Structures are given as C-alpha cells and as structure tokens.
Amino acid sequence: MKWRKREDWCFAWRNAMTHGHQTNNFAEASVRLFKDIVLGRNKAYNAVALIDFVAVVLEEYYERRLRNFSHNRCETPRLQLNAKLAKSEYLKSNDIIQISEHKFQVPSEASGCSYFVDCKLGSCSCSEGELGKFCKHQAGVFLHHQIIAAHVPRMTAEARYEMAVLASGDRAPPLSFFMPLRLQESEKSKTSPSCSRNDETFSK
C-alpha cells in the first residue's frame, strides 16, 4: 500500500512545486508558532478563550510580522539575497543563455555541465533548486537579466508597500513612504523626465 503511494511520500518523486518545503516543515513550524506565540505555553480552559487567542493574538502576530517586513526591519530576505548574489559573481552576462522567455541555461561553477533555470516555475535543475529552493543560478539570472522569479526575496519598495497594505489596509502609508532616500540611476531616469538642450530656456 505504501509503495503504491511512493509518489506522494518520497522525495525522489517531488518536484519544484513544494519550493523546498515539505509537510513536516509546515506542521512543525505551525505547531511551534501556535504554542509559543499564540498560546504562550498556556492552556485555554474554554472555547471562548481559544477563539480569542486565534482571532486576536494570532492576528496581531501576523500584522506585526508584516509591518516589520514593510518597514525594512526584517534582515533575513536581504541577507539571503545578498548571499546568493555573492555566490553568483562567477557568472557573466554572456555566460547565461536565454532559451525562452522564462527559461535560461546557466553554466556550473565547478563542473563543465549546465543547469536549466525556469523563472516562471521558480526552479533549477541543480541539486539545490530542483525542489524549488532559491539557488545561485537563479540569482545569476536575476542579476544579469532582471527577471524576478516566483520566490526571489522581494526587497523592492513596491513589495514592502504591498505588505503594509495587507497588514494595515487603508491606514498604510503611501508608496512614496517606502522609497529609498537615494534612487539608483536607473530609477532616476524613470522617475525624472529627460531634458534636452531644446527644452532649455536661457534668460538674456
């Protein structure tokens, strides 16, 4: 019976749709979160108290986590992205071959083989990315082709604004609140109009 369902339980038959997360990851994380954060290792003595824990404490916890990310107080996504970008420094722009709109062929750093990155699916044929994890080959595609895959750590102002709206709704600050103090040159060219000599006016 178990062998007939091996496709559902064995890692060998799993694909990138799990994004590197397995059933026990979600189960253990959810139980620990509910016991430590929501219940505080306390016992709810009736159904009303349990509903209060779920409707109030759990809601406030998620809102707090979303606000921390939107206000750039969560360093984990930035550190994760920087670590993968540092590992992909061996890649040059012409080393990456674009096969289709969302698929790329990326050479390996050590061996002479190549890996195939699917940005739409968020997967790579390497050992780290075949289950959907974010690997250095996907980071190289993101660095040189500016294509954001489904699970690339989002560190843009637009992403943080979306999390703020999800946490606070209409009370969220505007998008300009999350913009950096210094814009990159590419962002300056998009936000500020270009001025040619024909547009200049000279006072005599």
Side-chain angles (χ1 to χ4, degrees):
M1 181 66 179
K2 293 182 179 179
W3 179 248
R4 289 199 299 268
K5 292 187 177 182
R6 60 187 182 275
E7 292 85 355
D8 299 330
W9 296 99
C10 297
F11 286 168
W13 278 273
R14 294 189 180 181
N15 53 29
M17 298 302 295
T18 59
H19 291 286
H21 297 287
Q22 314 303 334
T23 306
N24 59 331
N25 299 133
F26 288 109
E28 293 176 2
S30 300
V31 170
R32 184 186 62 83
L33 172 66
F34 198 80
K35 285 184 176 180
D36 295 343
I37 305 299
V38 179
L39 298 179
R41 293 290 176 175
N42 296 319
K43 182 179 180 180
Y45 287 94
N46 52 57
V48 177
L50 185 61
I51 293 175
D52 179 73
F53 276 122
V54 175
V56 178
V57 181
L58 184 61
E59 184 77 12
E60 292 178 351
Y61 169 76
Y62 283 131
E63 288 183 5
R64 185 168 62 252
R65 291 295 302 269
L66 290 172
R67 285 197 301 267
N68 288 340
F69 177 81
S70 63
H71 294 164
N72 211 14
R73 295 175 181 173
C74 183
E75 297 293 332
T76 302
R78 182 181 62 84
L79 295 176
Q80 180 186 8
L81 180 60
N82 290 341
K84 297 301 181 181
L85 290 176
K87 291 183 178 180
S88 65
E89 289 181 349
Y90 75 96
L91 291 170
K92 305 298 181 183
S93 180
N94 54 0
D95 295 337
I96 303 175
I97 302 175
Q98 185 170 2
I99 302 175
S100 63
E101 183 180 1
H102 300 286
K103 295 183 179 181
F104 296 85
Q105 181 178 349
V106 183
S108 174
E109 182 179 9
S111 61
C113 63
S114 297
Y115 299 106
F116 296 93
V117 175
D118 191 332
C119 295
K120 186 175 182 179
L121 186 60
S123 65
C124 179
S125 59
C126 68
S127 58
E128 185 177 3
E130 62 183 355
L131 289 179
K133 289 185 177 181
F134 182 57
C135 63
K136 61 183 179 182
H137 310 107
Q138 300 173 65
V141 174
F142 166 72
L143 178 63
H144 295 289
H145 290 268
Q146 299 300 316
I147 297 180
I148 302 179
H151 61 294
V152 173
R154 305 298 178 91
M155 299 305 301
T156 61
E158 290 78 8
R160 293 190 286 116
Y161 171 70
E162 292 177 359
M163 294 298 103
V165 172
L166 184 60
S168 304
D170 297 336
R171 297 180 287 108
L175 177 60
S176 58
F177 176 82
F178 302 96
M179 298 299 292
L181 295 178
R182 290 187 176 182
L183 296 178
Q184 301 293 334
E185 293 298 329
S186 59
E187 295 179 350
K188 288 182 180 180
S189 61
K190 294 179 182 179
T191 56
S192 59
S194 58
C195 179
S196 61
R197 292 189 60 87
N198 296 330
D199 298 331
E200 296 177 355
T201 57
F202 300 93
S203 59
K204 297 182 180 179

